[in-house]
Amino acid sequence: PLSVRGKLTMAAAAPKKPAGEVDVMHTDDIQSVAELRAEAFAEKACWVCCESRTDGIRENIKVYNEYVKVDPVKLSHCFVIRDDKGKVLSACQLQMKSDVGDFLVPCWLGMRHTLTSGECYLEWIGASEAARGKGYGSKLIKHSLDFAQREGCAKMTLEVMAVNRAMGLYERLGFVVKAKSACTKLGECVFIWVFMGCKYTSAIKMEKPLSPSDAQAANPVPPPAQNQMT
């Protein structure tokens, strides 16, 4: 019988869903996802590397091709929304248990995220210019939260630049800010400033519990209606 990872790999080979619906990434989406991520994060490109948009696309293609080799199931944890021509308009990548981390983030100095017990980590989420303002980000995050909870995760975490307007969206979806140590903040400040376009100095960690008790507290079941005698 197939292992769980084998079944998840097969899921990524299922027929694609219609335009506007959330779907898992397929291998033939690699080019489109690479273009999207390079566009969405162009302003955060590393100035030290003098990286252009073309360089960003090339690096993302390389990263996802590497995932196909070493951890193909990771593609099943990338959710996409396509247009009617099959082009990816918006996407997000999760890091689940046993997944490799984000190969675009250096592993030295502990910058690449390491999962804790029960954690699902939102590595990145982005939308093309044409897709912004259409609610695709909210749609992807809600789908990801449902997926992570079904997979038994206890929480979802993410990091967002302190000046990013997306914080409002995350807060509306139940994410709360988590404190970081002064040492962590200092190390991140240097890394973020140097390697993310010299426009940002800090990232905020946010977390949303996914345990059944928390989900029930957030969505309480109303008491049954009382029959009234007339």
Side-chain angles (χ1 to χ4, degrees):
L2 283 173
S3 65
V4 172
R5 294 178 73 81
K7 291 177 180 178
L8 285 170
T9 303
M10 286 188 66
K16 292 184 178 180
K17 293 187 178 180
E21 292 189 16
V22 178
D23 195 7
V24 294
M25 179 183 179
H26 292 228
T27 53
D28 61 359
D29 290 318
I30 288 177
Q31 176 75 32
S32 192
V33 168
E35 292 173 356
L36 167 67
R37 191 178 184 187
E39 175 189 341
F41 294 90
E43 65 175 12
K44 299 183 180 71
C46 175
W47 71 271
V48 173
C49 308
C50 299
E51 187 177 84
S52 66
R53 182 175 182 274
T54 301
D55 293 330
I57 294 172
R58 186 183 302 114
E59 283 301 306
N60 276 283
I61 291 174
K62 180 180 177 181
V63 162
Y64 274 91
N65 280 330
E66 191 66 18
Y67 292 157
V68 172
K69 294 178 183 178
V70 302
D71 187 17
V73 76
K74 190 175 176 77
L75 271 67
S76 296
H77 303 149
C78 180
F79 300 116
V80 302
I81 296 177
R82 307 180 188 88
D83 64 14
D84 55 4
K85 295 181 180 178
K87 183 177 177 62
V88 175
L89 296 173
S90 189
C92 69
Q93 176 70 63
L94 303 181
Q95 181 184 359
M96 303 288 291
K97 181 181 179 181
S98 300
D99 281 351
V100 296
D102 186 348
F103 284 174
L104 277 186
V105 178
C107 57
W108 42 268
L109 297 180
M111 297 312 299
R112 187 178 296 171
H113 189 77
T114 300
L115 293 177
T116 58
S117 177
E119 179 188 10
C120 166
Y121 179 63
L122 178 62
E123 289 185 347
W124 64 271
I125 181 169
S128 65
E129 187 68 35
R132 291 172 189 170
K134 296 185 177 181
Y136 289 158
S138 177
K139 196 171 183 178
L140 284 168
I141 295 174
K142 289 177 181 178
H143 181 91
S144 298
L145 289 168
D146 290 342
F147 174 80
Q149 189 165 18
R150 290 197 305 271
E151 291 297 306
C153 297
K155 61 184 177 182
M156 181 179 287
T157 63
L158 59 85
E159 290 190 270
V160 58
M161 295 299 110
V163 295
N164 195 323
R165 290 179 297 177
M167 275 193 66
L169 168 62
Y170 301 140
E171 289 173 338
R172 290 193 297 274
L173 292 174
F175 286 86
V176 296
V177 175
K178 304 296 289 185
K180 293 181 179 180
S181 69
C183 183
T184 298
K185 288 181 180 179
L186 179 61
E188 284 185 348
C189 177
V190 175
F191 175 85
I192 290 170
W193 174 258
V194 173
F195 289 97
M196 301 194 75
C198 295
K199 295 181 179 180
Y200 308 95
T201 57
S202 62
I204 294 174
K205 181 179 180 180
M206 303 187 78
E207 179 180 306
K208 178 178 172 64
L210 297 176
S211 65
S213 58
D214 290 308
Q216 186 175 7
N219 301 282
V221 178
Q226 297 292 328
N227 292 325
Q228 296 183 353
M229 296 182 64
T230 56

